[in-house]
Amino acid sequence: MTTAIRYSFGGDEHLFVELSESMSLEAFFRGLAMTRAVQALQLPGIHDICLANASFQIRFDPDVLLPDRLLAAVQGVEDLAVAERQLATRIIEIPVLYNDPWTHETLMRFRDRHQDPTATDLEYAARINGLADVEAFIAAHSGAPWFVSMVGFVAGLPFMFQMVEPERQLQVPKYLRPRTDTPKQTLGHGGCFGCIYSVRGAGGYQMFGVTPAPIYDPAQRLDYLQEHMVFFRPGDIVRFRAIDRAEYDRMLAEVEEGSFTLNIRPMDFSLDAFLDDPRGYPRALMEEPA
């Protein structure tokens, strides 16, 4: 049964639309359908439509578009919210140096804010997920694709969840108290969500490694950032590939000289195919095309 949508206004300029209390691909696709339908209306006065995990928010000018008119228009497209089950998107391979020295140095400075001061973030994550050791956790983390459901918090930071059955979701709580430092391009994890910290700054997610790949660059120096300074967009599918220190250093040198690029390929994602085969379909996404 479809969950009733909840609407609320935030101040004078925002309409918040909550599609579901739980986050899922079903909720994401419902939000995707509704936001596309609202965009198609081309209502004057709408500045931004921001899609999130199980909700979206519209920023509008109340002097141009009356709040009641906007609410009625959005409610009018509710029936379209179940229409889309396919998504033209892209699969992106992100190289990761797991258990790197920089996040290790950082996490050791903040053990007083952690649930287990005697363990590293990876050791803690492996233990509470019932995995044998850090290597087993890394294999589970990089062994299935991740779906980007929203981008935000800071510029370019993707939130993503792993495309596996709910009982196989890796879950790790955030730090008891946030850190005041996180290296840029850190792989983080909080609850069932993974992220990549696009810039250095505060953070509360567990830290598992770093990627050499910039995902936010106002200078747009690399080829995959030419279209936009923020790389990720909702609906992207991510494959993490574990690399060693030598490969990380080589890639970092390529970033510095401007020649680094990412392995990106287009694909048509089927929500129904995933729901029908939640193990086999993601496994196919992890394979390189022939």
PDB file of all heavy atoms in Angstrom, residues 2 29-30 33-34 77-85:
ATOM      1  N   THR A   2       0.512   2.224  -0.813  1.00  0.00           N
ATOM      2  CA  THR A   2       1.298   3.436  -0.924  1.00  0.00           C
ATOM      3  C   THR A   2       1.136   4.298   0.316  1.00  0.00           C
ATOM      4  O   THR A   2       0.019   4.518   0.795  1.00  0.00           O
ATOM      5  CB  THR A   2       0.869   4.242  -2.170  1.00  0.00           C
ATOM      6  OG1 THR A   2       1.025   3.412  -3.313  1.00  0.00           O
ATOM      7  CG2 THR A   2       1.719   5.474  -2.319  1.00  0.00           C
ATOM      8  N   PHE A  29      12.265   6.412  -6.118  1.00  0.00           N
ATOM      9  CA  PHE A  29      11.665   6.490  -7.444  1.00  0.00           C
ATOM     10  C   PHE A  29      10.347   7.251  -7.411  1.00  0.00           C
ATOM     11  O   PHE A  29       9.991   7.936  -8.374  1.00  0.00           O
ATOM     12  CB  PHE A  29      11.466   5.084  -8.018  1.00  0.00           C
ATOM     13  CG  PHE A  29      12.649   4.595  -8.793  1.00  0.00           C
ATOM     14  CD1 PHE A  29      13.793   4.150  -8.144  1.00  0.00           C
ATOM     15  CD2 PHE A  29      12.639   4.594 -10.173  1.00  0.00           C
ATOM     16  CE1 PHE A  29      14.893   3.711  -8.852  1.00  0.00           C
ATOM     17  CE2 PHE A  29      13.739   4.153 -10.890  1.00  0.00           C
ATOM     18  CZ  PHE A  29      14.869   3.715 -10.239  1.00  0.00           C
ATOM     19  N   ARG A  30       9.623   7.166  -6.317  1.00  0.00           N
ATOM     20  CA  ARG A  30       8.397   7.940  -6.189  1.00  0.00           C
ATOM     21  C   ARG A  30       8.728   9.437  -6.174  1.00  0.00           C
ATOM     22  O   ARG A  30       8.068  10.242  -6.832  1.00  0.00           O
ATOM     23  CB  ARG A  30       7.669   7.539  -4.915  1.00  0.00           C
ATOM     24  CG  ARG A  30       6.229   8.002  -4.837  1.00  0.00           C
ATOM     25  CD  ARG A  30       5.573   7.524  -3.559  1.00  0.00           C
ATOM     26  NE  ARG A  30       4.151   7.812  -3.564  1.00  0.00           N
ATOM     27  CZ  ARG A  30       3.391   7.767  -2.487  1.00  0.00           C
ATOM     28  NH1 ARG A  30       3.922   7.451  -1.303  1.00  0.00           N
ATOM     29  NH2 ARG A  30       2.103   8.035  -2.558  1.00  0.00           N
ATOM     30  N   ALA A  33       9.796  10.596  -9.680  1.00  0.00           N
ATOM     31  CA  ALA A  33       8.663  10.801 -10.573  1.00  0.00           C
ATOM     32  C   ALA A  33       7.943  12.108 -10.254  1.00  0.00           C
ATOM     33  O   ALA A  33       7.560  12.861 -11.159  1.00  0.00           O
ATOM     34  CB  ALA A  33       7.698   9.621 -10.463  1.00  0.00           C
ATOM     35  N   MET A  34       7.754  12.391  -8.971  1.00  0.00           N
ATOM     36  CA  MET A  34       7.035  13.612  -8.598  1.00  0.00           C
ATOM     37  C   MET A  34       7.829  14.864  -8.940  1.00  0.00           C
ATOM     38  O   MET A  34       7.276  15.845  -9.452  1.00  0.00           O
ATOM     39  CB  MET A  34       6.693  13.599  -7.108  1.00  0.00           C
ATOM     40  CG  MET A  34       5.500  12.732  -6.759  1.00  0.00           C
ATOM     41  SD  MET A  34       4.866  13.071  -5.090  1.00  0.00           S
ATOM     42  CE  MET A  34       4.129  14.691  -5.316  1.00  0.00           C
ATOM     43  N   VAL A  77       0.044  16.130  -8.918  1.00  0.00           N
ATOM     44  CA  VAL A  77       0.873  15.173  -9.667  1.00  0.00           C
ATOM     45  C   VAL A  77       1.155  13.907  -8.853  1.00  0.00           C
ATOM     46  O   VAL A  77       1.952  13.075  -9.284  1.00  0.00           O
ATOM     47  CB  VAL A  77       2.205  15.819 -10.118  1.00  0.00           C
ATOM     48  CG1 VAL A  77       1.949  17.051 -10.959  1.00  0.00           C
ATOM     49  CG2 VAL A  77       3.102  16.161  -8.924  1.00  0.00           C
ATOM     50  N   GLU A  78       0.499  13.739  -7.714  1.00  0.00           N
ATOM     51  CA  GLU A  78       0.752  12.560  -6.878  1.00  0.00           C
ATOM     52  C   GLU A  78       0.547  11.255  -7.645  1.00  0.00           C
ATOM     53  O   GLU A  78       1.293  10.294  -7.469  1.00  0.00           O
ATOM     54  CB  GLU A  78      -0.148  12.577  -5.643  1.00  0.00           C
ATOM     55  CG  GLU A  78       0.366  13.415  -4.502  1.00  0.00           C
ATOM     56  CD  GLU A  78      -0.398  13.142  -3.219  1.00  0.00           C
ATOM     57  OE1 GLU A  78      -0.936  12.021  -3.071  1.00  0.00           O
ATOM     58  OE2 GLU A  78      -0.441  14.041  -2.364  1.00  0.00           O
ATOM     59  N   ASP A  79      -0.474  11.212  -8.497  1.00  0.00           N
ATOM     60  CA  ASP A  79      -0.764   9.977  -9.223  1.00  0.00           C
ATOM     61  C   ASP A  79       0.356   9.583 -10.176  1.00  0.00           C
ATOM     62  O   ASP A  79       0.463   8.423 -10.574  1.00  0.00           O
ATOM     63  CB  ASP A  79      -2.070  10.117 -10.005  1.00  0.00           C
ATOM     64  CG  ASP A  79      -3.286  10.159  -9.090  1.00  0.00           C
ATOM     65  OD1 ASP A  79      -3.153   9.749  -7.925  1.00  0.00           O
ATOM     66  OD2 ASP A  79      -4.349  10.614  -9.545  1.00  0.00           O
ATOM     67  N   LEU A  80       1.191  10.558 -10.556  1.00  0.00           N
ATOM     68  CA  LEU A  80       2.312  10.259 -11.446  1.00  0.00           C
ATOM     69  C   LEU A  80       3.495   9.664 -10.692  1.00  0.00           C
ATOM     70  O   LEU A  80       4.463   9.226 -11.313  1.00  0.00           O
ATOM     71  CB  LEU A  80       2.757  11.540 -12.163  1.00  0.00           C
ATOM     72  CG  LEU A  80       1.695  12.255 -13.002  1.00  0.00           C
ATOM     73  CD1 LEU A  80       2.255  13.560 -13.549  1.00  0.00           C
ATOM     74  CD2 LEU A  80       1.219  11.357 -14.134  1.00  0.00           C
ATOM     75  N   ALA A  81       3.397   9.642  -9.371  1.00  0.00           N
ATOM     76  CA  ALA A  81       4.548   9.273  -8.559  1.00  0.00           C
ATOM     77  C   ALA A  81       4.905   7.799  -8.640  1.00  0.00           C
ATOM     78  O   ALA A  81       5.964   7.400  -8.197  1.00  0.00           O
ATOM     79  CB  ALA A  81       4.304   9.653  -7.102  1.00  0.00           C
ATOM     80  N   VAL A  82       4.035   6.973  -9.182  1.00  0.00           N
ATOM     81  CA  VAL A  82       4.342   5.542  -9.292  1.00  0.00           C
ATOM     82  C   VAL A  82       4.582   5.137 -10.742  1.00  0.00           C
ATOM     83  O   VAL A  82       4.716   3.971 -11.051  1.00  0.00           O
ATOM     84  CB  VAL A  82       3.197   4.694  -8.690  1.00  0.00           C
ATOM     85  CG1 VAL A  82       3.088   4.949  -7.211  1.00  0.00           C
ATOM     86  CG2 VAL A  82       1.873   5.006  -9.386  1.00  0.00           C
ATOM     87  N   ALA A  83       4.655   6.119 -11.635  1.00  0.00           N
ATOM     88  CA  ALA A  83       4.721   5.813 -13.056  1.00  0.00           C
ATOM     89  C   ALA A  83       6.098   5.341 -13.513  1.00  0.00           C
ATOM     90  O   ALA A  83       6.209   4.545 -14.431  1.00  0.00           O
ATOM     91  CB  ALA A  83       4.305   7.043 -13.864  1.00  0.00           C
ATOM     92  N   GLU A  84       7.166   5.833 -12.876  1.00  0.00           N
ATOM     93  CA  GLU A  84       8.511   5.548 -13.377  1.00  0.00           C
ATOM     94  C   GLU A  84       9.155   4.389 -12.632  1.00  0.00           C
ATOM     95  O   GLU A  84       9.242   4.400 -11.410  1.00  0.00           O
ATOM     96  CB  GLU A  84       9.379   6.796 -13.248  1.00  0.00           C
ATOM     97  CG  GLU A  84       8.858   7.973 -14.061  1.00  0.00           C
ATOM     98  CD  GLU A  84       9.829   9.143 -14.046  1.00  0.00           C
ATOM     99  OE1 GLU A  84      11.042   8.911 -13.993  1.00  0.00           O
ATOM    100  OE2 GLU A  84       9.349  10.274 -14.072  1.00  0.00           O
ATOM    101  N   ARG A  85       9.606   3.404 -13.377  1.00  0.00           N
ATOM    102  CA  ARG A  85      10.303   2.257 -12.796  1.00  0.00           C
ATOM    103  C   ARG A  85      11.652   2.040 -13.462  1.00  0.00           C
ATOM    104  O   ARG A  85      12.379   1.126 -13.100  1.00  0.00           O
ATOM    105  CB  ARG A  85       9.464   0.984 -12.934  1.00  0.00           C
ATOM    106  CG  ARG A  85       8.015   1.115 -12.526  1.00  0.00           C
ATOM    107  CD  ARG A  85       7.840   1.182 -11.045  1.00  0.00           C
ATOM    108  NE  ARG A  85       8.108  -0.074 -10.389  1.00  0.00           N
ATOM    109  CZ  ARG A  85       7.917  -0.280  -9.074  1.00  0.00           C
ATOM    110  NH1 ARG A  85       7.462   0.711  -8.327  1.00  0.00           N
ATOM    111  NH2 ARG A  85       8.198  -1.436  -8.514  1.00  0.00           N
TER     112      ARG A  85
END
